[in-house]
Amino acid sequence: MKSFNFYISDGSIYFTDPPYGIKSEQEELGFYGVYRLAPDGTLTLLVDDFVRPNGIVFSPDETKLYVNDSQRGHIRVFDVKPDGMLENGKLFAELKPPSQEGAADGMKVDIQGNVYSTGPGGVWIFSPQGDLLGIIETPEAPANLAWGDSDYQTLYITARNSLYRIRLKIKGMP
């Protein structure tokens, strides 16, 4: 099973459990969720109404959690409470142009809080308010991305058969 995780400053690990890589008869829970593993080892199911939860990332100040759903082609955002639980989940953005290959999958944020998500046709960039700022088009459907180089201004994009990179003006979050 493919799982994406994200660590935050209090030592918690947040992750999703999409069913990729397993057969339907191997599924055990009957739902796919977003979880939090607290520093003391307590595991908590936070959200269980996703079809295919996948990419997950926090805002720079860790007050918002973004989770995309590959099958629904959208990103949801949640407020993070001081105890690490989530509230006020809502639709943040949709990634659904017709006739484009690719799905909402890997996500990252930059220091200004812009959200970068792989999606149909490339990497979609949204403002912290959910406005589409642009799409970095890629020759292949992208799967994941990471900030790199010593200044975190290079975005590395993985695809089915290739690795791409693009230099940006805004630094990413390590």
Side-chain angles (χ1 to χ4, degrees):
M1 177 182 331
K2 184 176 176 183
S3 178
F4 291 91
N5 55 56
F6 198 87
Y7 303 84
I8 63 168
S9 60
D10 75 355
S12 295
I13 302 170
Y14 289 72
F15 64 95
T16 62
D17 70 342
Y20 303 116
I22 64 171
K23 298 175 183 171
S24 60
E25 61 268 13
Q26 295 173 306
E27 296 178 20
E28 297 176 2
L29 299 176
F31 63 87
Y32 311 106
V34 178
Y35 299 83
R36 176 181 181 253
L37 181 62
D40 69 3
T42 303
L43 180 64
T44 305
L45 172 64
L46 300 172
V47 185
D48 67 358
D49 64 348
F50 281 88
V51 177
R52 295 287 188 267
N54 211 332
I56 184 170
V57 70
F58 280 87
S59 61
D61 64 4
E62 299 179 352
T63 62
K64 305 281 184 206
L65 178 68
Y66 302 93
V67 181
N68 63 32
D69 190 315
S70 294
Q71 187 164 325
R72 289 181 175 153
H74 68 223
I75 301 169
R76 288 167 57 191
V77 62
F78 300 86
D79 292 327
V80 181
K81 295 169 38 174
D83 65 0
M85 300 298 107
L86 304 179
E87 65 182 357
N88 303 323
K90 64 181 179 181
L91 183 66
F92 174 73
E94 293 194 76
L95 299 88
K96 294 183 179 180
S99 70
Q100 290 280 340
E101 187 180 0
D105 195 341
M107 283 198 302
K108 294 292 183 241
V109 295
D110 65 28
I111 60 171
Q112 294 179 354
N114 298 313
V115 177
Y116 297 67
S117 177
T118 62
V123 176
W124 294 51
I125 306 166
F126 297 95
S127 73
Q129 295 75 35
D131 299 318
L132 180 62
L133 299 175
I135 299 173
I136 299 170
E137 295 180 5
T138 55
E140 300 172 78
N144 215 331
L145 35 94
W147 294 108
D149 295 349
S150 61
D151 61 3
Y152 294 105
Q153 282 187 247
T154 302
L155 187 64
Y156 288 88
I157 305 164
T158 61
R160 294 202 171 131
N161 298 305
S162 305
L163 172 66
Y164 302 96
R165 72 175 184 183
I166 185 169
R167 188 86 177 143
L168 300 174
K169 293 180 181 181
I170 302 172
K171 291 183 180 191
M173 292 295 298

